[in-house]
């Protein structure tokens, strides 16, 4: 499939614009981060919320127009499907499994020293695949298969997204007050990674 190219957003200030386009994108990212955090509160809506955030930021990056609340809400409604809600139901189960395994690994079970790094890598890898699922183009449905294919087909992009996940985890651990703002940068990172090198044949 042929890739379509989009014109970069204008870098100069428009008449009456106080801040540059780069600062506008940063403000959009913070706004979308707060909206995503609010939309994630029911937990089951988290996949739809991140997909709506990615779609809104993708549109802002492609057209250079600021993101707005109405666009996010429209995309959130469109992405709230049975599939996305079912994926959201899995999140608490996965969290419980990870916490139980972590508690078991802190005990004196044989092989705990080897399984602990494996659990960390598995958790980080799952987060990367989940973010790539939510960063699919708007005409694609949320698909674990498509996200996994994109993650495997673009290892450099997945490594960049892994670094973003690790950095977000460190920020959340060191400064918990930043938690409401972290979904925005994560969604932005997933969107940029998906835009820079979409994996061929990964579209569902």
């Amino acid at each position: 499939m042929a890739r379509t190219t989009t014109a970069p957003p204008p870098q100069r200030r428009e008449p009456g614009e106080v801040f540059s386009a780069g600062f506008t994108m940063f403000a959009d990212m913070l706004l979308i981060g707060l909206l995503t955090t609010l939309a994630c509160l029911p937990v089951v809506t988290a996949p739809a919320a991140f997909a709506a955030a990615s779609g809104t930021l993708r549109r802002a990056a492609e057209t250079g127009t600021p993101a707005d609340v109405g666009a996010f809400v429209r995309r959130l409604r469109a992405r709230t499907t049975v599939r996305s809600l079912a994926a959201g139901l899995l999140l608490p189960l996965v969290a419980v499994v990870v916490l139980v395994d972590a508690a078991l690994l802190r005990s004196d079970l044989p092989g705990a020293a080897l399984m602990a790094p494996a659990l960390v890598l598995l958790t980080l890898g799952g987060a990367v695949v989940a973010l790539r699922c939510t960063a699919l183009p708007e005409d694609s449905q949320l698909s674990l298969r498509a996200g996994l294919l994109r993650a495997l087909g673009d290892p450099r992009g997945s490594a960049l997204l892994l670094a973003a996940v690790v950095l977000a985890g460190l920020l959340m651990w060191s400064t918990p007050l930043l938690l409401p703002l972290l979904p925005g940068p994560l969604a932005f990172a997933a969107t940029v990674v998906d835009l820079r090198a979409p994996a061929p044949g990964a579209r569902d």
Side-chain angles (χ1 to χ4, degrees):
M1 180 178 293
R3 291 181 55 184
T4 58
T5 58
T6 56
Q11 298 299 320
R12 63 182 181 85
R13 292 182 176 88
E14 297 295 335
E17 185 179 8
V18 179
F19 301 107
S20 63
F23 190 91
T24 301
M25 178 60 70
F26 178 74
D28 289 344
M29 184 176 61
L30 295 183
L31 172 63
I32 296 303
L34 291 174
L35 294 175
T36 305
T37 300
L38 293 175
C40 287
L41 290 180
V43 180
V44 294
T45 56
F50 270 89
S54 177
T56 305
L57 292 172
R58 179 190 293 264
R59 179 67 176 172
E62 290 177 342
T63 63
T65 57
D68 59 88
V69 178
F72 176 84
V73 173
R74 288 192 298 271
R75 288 181 173 86
L76 179 62
R77 290 176 178 174
R79 287 295 193 174
T80 304
T81 61
V82 175
R83 175 179 293 193
S84 68
L85 293 177
L89 286 174
L90 294 177
L91 295 178
L93 298 178
V94 173
V96 170
V97 170
V98 171
L99 291 176
V100 170
D101 289 345
L104 291 176
L105 291 177
R106 285 196 295 267
S107 62
D108 295 331
L109 292 176
L114 296 177
M115 291 304 298
L119 179 62
V120 173
L121 292 177
L122 184 62
T123 302
L124 293 176
V128 170
V129 173
L131 286 173
R132 300 213 70 153
C133 290
T134 59
L136 295 173
E138 291 189 80
D139 56 350
S140 301
Q141 293 183 343
L142 295 178
S143 171
L144 180 61
R145 175 178 174 272
L148 182 60
L149 287 176
R150 284 183 180 259
L152 296 177
D154 180 23
R156 181 176 298 180
S158 297
L160 293 173
L161 195 52
L162 176 63
V165 171
V166 172
L167 179 59
L170 291 175
L171 289 174
M172 183 175 61
W173 173 74
S174 61
T175 312
L177 292 177
L178 293 178
L179 178 60
L181 300 177
L182 292 180
L186 285 176
F188 183 76
T191 304
V192 171
V193 165
D194 190 77
L195 285 173
R196 59 175 284 278
R203 188 166 166 175
D204 190 11

